[in-house]
Amino acid sequence: MSLVKIAVLDMNNNHPNEGMRCILQLIRNVQGNHQQADLSVGLSYDVFNVRASNELPGLDYDIYISSGGPGSPLATDDDWEKRFFALVDQLFNWNRTNDRKKYMFLICHSFQLTVRHLGVGKLSRRKSTSFGIFPVHKTDDGCSEPLFQQLPDPFYAVDSRDFQITEPNINRMNDMGASILCLEKIRPHVPLDRAIMAIRFSPEVIGTQFHPEADNEGMLRYFLTDEKRNQIVRNFGQEKYDAMVAYLQDPDKIALTESVILPEFLNQAIATLAATDQYIEQS
């Protein structure tokens, strides 16, 4: 039996959040599906508290999922940031020289950090916070992206950020073989660049500016609490709050996105790793 080890990088800096719960639940769901199907692949996972405890995994994992998180993704002198970037570089180097690849999914804060580190786009503060459930539009490359094949264009996703990625460095992206997969909602009345919402950095590494892990049931339960409802209404207005609650109850909005992107990433990575192990055993 092949054993696939997953490292979950918690970037929340000990702040309460729904994202980690959603990520771990998705991993457990994939574990359960594999067990029920009696597939010859075992799955295990470990969580690393990156920012608060300076915990980083080594290269003894097969799949890495790095979460979103609060705060600024702009440059710091924090040791965890240097170690995180070193891990990203090590994964790219590993995949250039090894047949059994390592896979990585980067969410929101982790995506912004990695874009800055790799120099494939401009990271800057938004004029105002983007918070809500919004349409995400596929590019031509996004329409052929395997992880997005089961999603309409546009699809809907949770967006929560004070920063953005714009002005892609096309030469750098071409050198890496990277491609832009999605852009933020169309805003004809706003004379600003549309932010980049997803990038395929390599065949093994992908990242999204939005939150593909967000589930409708958990988020609806969270948004219906007095504290969160009052916070959203105070900062964004009753109309925005009502729209978000309606979207959370729509199975064709974030429930669809949550059921497709990360599960497909995990299933495709696991299947490729298992096939590689089988080939190595037979060689």
Side-chain angles (χ1 to χ4, degrees):
M1 173 184 286
S2 297
L3 176 62
V4 174
K5 297 173 62 180
I6 303 171
V8 182
L9 280 64
D10 181 352
M11 289 286 197
N12 288 283
N13 203 21
N14 283 345
H15 286 256
N17 72 96
E18 288 288 300
M20 283 298 296
R21 177 190 60 79
C22 294
I23 291 169
L24 297 181
Q25 185 59 53
L26 284 168
I27 293 173
R28 294 186 194 108
N29 289 345
V30 171
Q31 282 180 315
N33 293 339
H34 278 256
Q35 289 169 357
Q36 291 176 10
D38 197 25
L39 300 176
S40 57
V41 178
L43 302 180
S44 68
Y45 69 88
D46 295 304
V47 177
F48 296 85
N49 191 346
V50 177
R51 295 169 66 186
S53 301
N54 199 17
E55 296 175 353
L56 271 297
L59 289 178
D60 48 336
Y61 289 85
D62 306 295
I63 299 174
Y64 299 75
I65 299 176
S66 193
S67 80
S72 170
L74 299 177
T76 72
D77 291 326
D78 293 341
D79 187 55
W80 69 262
E81 184 176 297
K82 299 181 181 71
R83 297 181 65 203
F84 174 73
F85 291 152
L87 174 63
V88 170
D89 291 341
Q90 288 164 4
L91 292 179
F92 278 103
N93 290 335
W94 174 279
N95 288 335
R96 279 192 284 267
T97 56
N98 290 272
D99 292 330
R100 194 178 193 277
K101 307 301 184 182
K102 296 184 182 293
Y103 297 84
M104 189 172 214
F105 199 108
L106 301 147
I107 298 171
C108 197
H109 193 89
S110 298
F111 172 75
Q112 295 167 341
L113 288 169
T114 302
V115 167
R116 170 165 66 83
H117 175 62
L118 297 176
V120 296
K122 178 184 177 181
L123 171 64
S124 62
R125 183 179 286 275
R126 286 177 52 87
K127 289 187 177 298
S128 61
T129 299
S130 178
F131 180 76
I133 299 169
F134 299 116
V136 179
H137 296 262
K138 300 180 189 179
T139 63
D140 289 344
D141 287 322
C143 288
S144 58
E145 167 56 48
L147 299 191
F148 297 163
Q149 296 266 302
Q150 300 175 46
L151 296 173
D153 184 24
F155 60 91
Y156 283 77
V158 171
D159 193 20
S160 177
R161 58 194 167 91
D162 293 312
F163 294 82
Q164 63 183 356
I165 302 297
T166 56
E167 300 181 24
N169 184 333
I170 300 301
N171 290 334
R172 174 65 174 146
M173 295 190 75
N174 288 340
D175 289 344
M176 292 182 60
S179 57
I180 297 170
L181 304 178
C182 301
L183 298 173
E184 71 178 334
K185 64 180 179 179
I186 297 171
R187 301 175 298 168
H189 58 290
V190 178
L192 298 172
D193 289 346
R194 291 164 68 196
I196 297 167
M197 298 301 285
I199 293 176
R200 167 68 71 178
F201 296 97
S202 75
E204 301 83 21
V205 181
I206 186 170
T208 62
Q209 175 65 90
F210 57 87
H211 287 267
E213 79 280 14
D215 69 338
N216 57 343
E217 290 185 16
M219 291 202 66
L220 182 59
R221 187 169 58 247
Y222 180 51
F223 281 10
L224 291 176
T225 64
D226 290 342
E227 180 182 1
K228 193 61 180 177
R229 180 177 62 248
N230 293 338
Q231 179 188 359
I232 294 173
V233 171
R234 184 171 60 252
N235 292 329
F236 301 100
Q238 185 69 44
E239 184 177 353
K240 168 64 72 70
Y241 176 79
D242 292 342
M244 291 180 68
V245 169
Y247 280 176
L248 287 170
Q249 295 171 315
D250 186 339
D252 294 325
K253 296 295 192 294
I254 72 163
L256 178 61
T257 302
E258 182 251 350
S259 72
V260 169
I261 296 179
L262 268 179
E264 281 297 304
F265 166 76
L266 287 168
N267 286 326
Q268 290 179 22
I270 291 165
T272 304
L273 288 163
T276 302
D277 289 343
Q278 187 175 19
Y279 174 79
I280 293 172
E281 288 175 5
Q282 294 173 351
S283 298

